[in-house]
Amino acid sequence: MPTAALPKFDAVLLAEAGQVEHARHIAAAWLRQQCCMAESRADAAKVIVSELCTNAVRHGSASEFGLRGAASVEGAVRLEVRDGSPGEAPSPQCPGLLEENGRGLFLVDALVNELGGTWGFSDDGTVAWCLIPAKGEDR
């Protein structure tokens, strides 16, 4: 008996600030429609995607970035943002109260933890990823 293919997608977008919104919509639609993720969880994941894509646009050196999603048989979804720019993996910062930037990875960390997932970067720093359960109680 053949098994159904697990949902996945792969998109390439221009490394421009306006493309982050497209990435958010792509991920949210996939999570809700293909992975049957509850709206509140998908909304949190959408913010995670937004922050990771914004970092790819701001700090990557390529003219485009990739966004990929894949569901697992265990019921988790893996989202990846590839900027193609090798380097040391960044970590959450503690910016000053008046700083307008620098809180993105802190937010990613908080949301991924709230959803019961994990996140990180590839060894070469070209891929930011998160793995979150598609279903579950928000914490």
Side-chain angles (χ1 to χ4, degrees), residues 54-68:
T54 297
N55 280 354
V57 169
R58 284 191 179 163
H59 304 294
S61 60
S63 61
E64 55 191 30
F65 68 94
L67 174 63
R68 176 180 292 163

Side-chain angles (χ1 to χ4, degrees), residues 2 10 28 39 55-56 76 90 107:
D10 202 349
E39 190 164 343
N55 280 354
L107 184 56

Side-chain angles (χ1 to χ4, degrees), residues 117-135:
T118 59
W119 72 284
F121 292 89
S122 62
D123 289 341
D124 65 359
T126 62
V127 178
W129 59 269
C130 69
L131 185 67
I132 54 177
K135 299 190 184 327

Side-chain angles (χ1 to χ4, degrees), residues 6 14-15 32 36 43 56 61 64 67 71 79 92 94 113 116-117 132:
L6 293 171
L14 294 175
R32 288 183 182 122
C36 301
D43 285 348
S61 60
E64 55 191 30
L67 174 63
L79 296 164
C94 293
N113 285 331
I132 54 177

Side-chain angles (χ1 to χ4, degrees), residues 64-126:
E64 55 191 30
F65 68 94
L67 174 63
R68 176 180 292 163
S72 72
V73 294
E74 294 84 20
V77 293
R78 182 179 174 98
L79 296 164
E80 297 180 351
V81 176
R82 303 175 308 281
D83 70 6
S85 300
E88 188 174 325
S91 59
Q93 302 296 309
C94 293
L97 290 174
L98 300 177
E99 294 295 321
E100 293 183 13
N101 299 309
R103 292 173 181 80
L105 294 181
F106 180 80
L107 184 56
V108 167
D109 187 58
L111 289 171
V112 169
N113 285 331
E114 179 180 318
L115 295 174
T118 59
W119 72 284
F121 292 89
S122 62
D123 289 341
D124 65 359
T126 62

